[in-house]
């Protein structure tokens, strides 16, 4: 890379760090090209990004951002994953690391909050934003359903009483 390409990479990473809410740092301990391609596909499907960047350039891009605390994690063969929704990227990375021991989860940052590997794993266990929205809609709609059934119950009971009274009148 020449100097202009390095400057462009630092600028693009700095722009990403300014816009995103979650960054995960991983270490590659011998992943094959096929493994990395599979990981990138899974990360992309979750709405996140995965990039191998030179540690020095990534550190320069981190300066002045809310993620500057992850700079000490950038040693050795590292890669960065980021997304606007924190749970999705954490889930994909943790699931891939479970099935492939050559990917090591180092930690990350959720906003300005530093997370170690255990923190990322705990975040991955949370339900996604879409799941939380569905649960909230379910909670909101349940009382309305119950109110409708309570309102309909007296009318149904009244109809059954009239029906029973009509049958007794016919029998007599």
């Amino acid at each position: 890379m020449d100097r202009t390409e390095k400057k462009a990479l630092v600028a693009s990473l700095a722009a990403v760090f300014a816009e995103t809410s979650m960054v995960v740092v991983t270490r590659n301990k011998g992943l094959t090209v096929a493994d990395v391609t599979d990981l990138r596909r899974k990360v992309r499907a979750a709405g996140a990004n995965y990039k191998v960047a030179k540690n020095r350039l990534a550190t320069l891009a981190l300066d002045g951002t809310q993620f500057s605390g992850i700079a000490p994690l950038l040693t050795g063969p590292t890669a960065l994953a980021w997304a606007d929704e924190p749970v999705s990227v954490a889930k994909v990375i943790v699931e891939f690391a479970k099935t492939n021991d050559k990917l090591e989860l180092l930690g990350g940052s959720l906003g300005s909050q530093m997370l170690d590997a255990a923190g990322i794993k705990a975040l991955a266990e949370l339900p996604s934003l879409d799941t939380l929205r569905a649960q909230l809609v379910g909670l909101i709609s349940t009382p309305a359903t119950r109110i409708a059934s309570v309102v309909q119950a007296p009318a149904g009971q009244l109809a059954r009483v009239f029906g029973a009274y009509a049958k007794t009148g016919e029998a007599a």
Side-chain angles (χ1 to χ4, degrees):
M1 285 182 119
D2 65 351
R3 182 171 286 215
T4 56
E5 290 174 332
K6 289 179 182 178
K7 284 182 180 180
L9 178 64
V10 169
S12 69
L13 283 176
V16 164
F17 295 143
E19 296 173 0
T20 191
S21 64
M22 171 80 174
V23 176
V24 177
V25 181
T26 62
R27 177 170 289 139
N28 177 352
K29 299 189 305 186
L31 287 172
T32 65
V33 173
D35 290 338
V36 173
T37 303
D38 185 40
L39 176 60
R40 287 178 197 261
R41 188 173 23 82
K42 289 178 180 179
V43 167
R44 199 173 306 116
N49 295 303
Y50 181 81
K51 181 153 185 80
V52 176
K54 291 189 177 205
N55 293 335
R56 179 70 183 134
L57 298 178
T59 304
L60 289 172
L62 287 169
D63 285 340
T65 66
Q66 60 184 345
F67 303 110
S68 60
I70 64 171
L73 299 175
L74 298 175
T75 58
T78 59
L80 303 170
W82 65 86
D84 290 329
E85 187 192 346
V87 176
S88 64
V89 68
K91 280 187 184 207
V92 171
I93 296 294
V94 168
E95 287 300 316
F96 191 85
K98 283 181 186 177
T99 60
N100 194 330
D101 59 345
K102 293 180 181 179
L103 181 73
E104 180 183 0
L105 181 60
L106 297 178
S109 182
L110 179 59
S112 60
Q113 178 68 39
M114 283 291 299
L115 300 172
D116 59 353
I120 300 290
K121 289 177 183 175
L123 186 64
E125 293 174 4
L126 293 174
S128 68
L129 188 59
D130 291 336
T131 305
L132 287 174
R133 286 179 181 152
Q135 289 174 348
L136 183 61
V137 168
L139 287 173
I140 291 172
S141 67
T142 299
T145 305
R146 288 184 182 163
I147 288 172
S149 65
V150 167
V151 169
Q152 289 177 352
Q157 289 174 349
L158 192 59
R160 284 189 289 276
V161 168
F162 285 146
Y165 185 71
K167 286 181 183 177
T168 57
E170 290 175 4

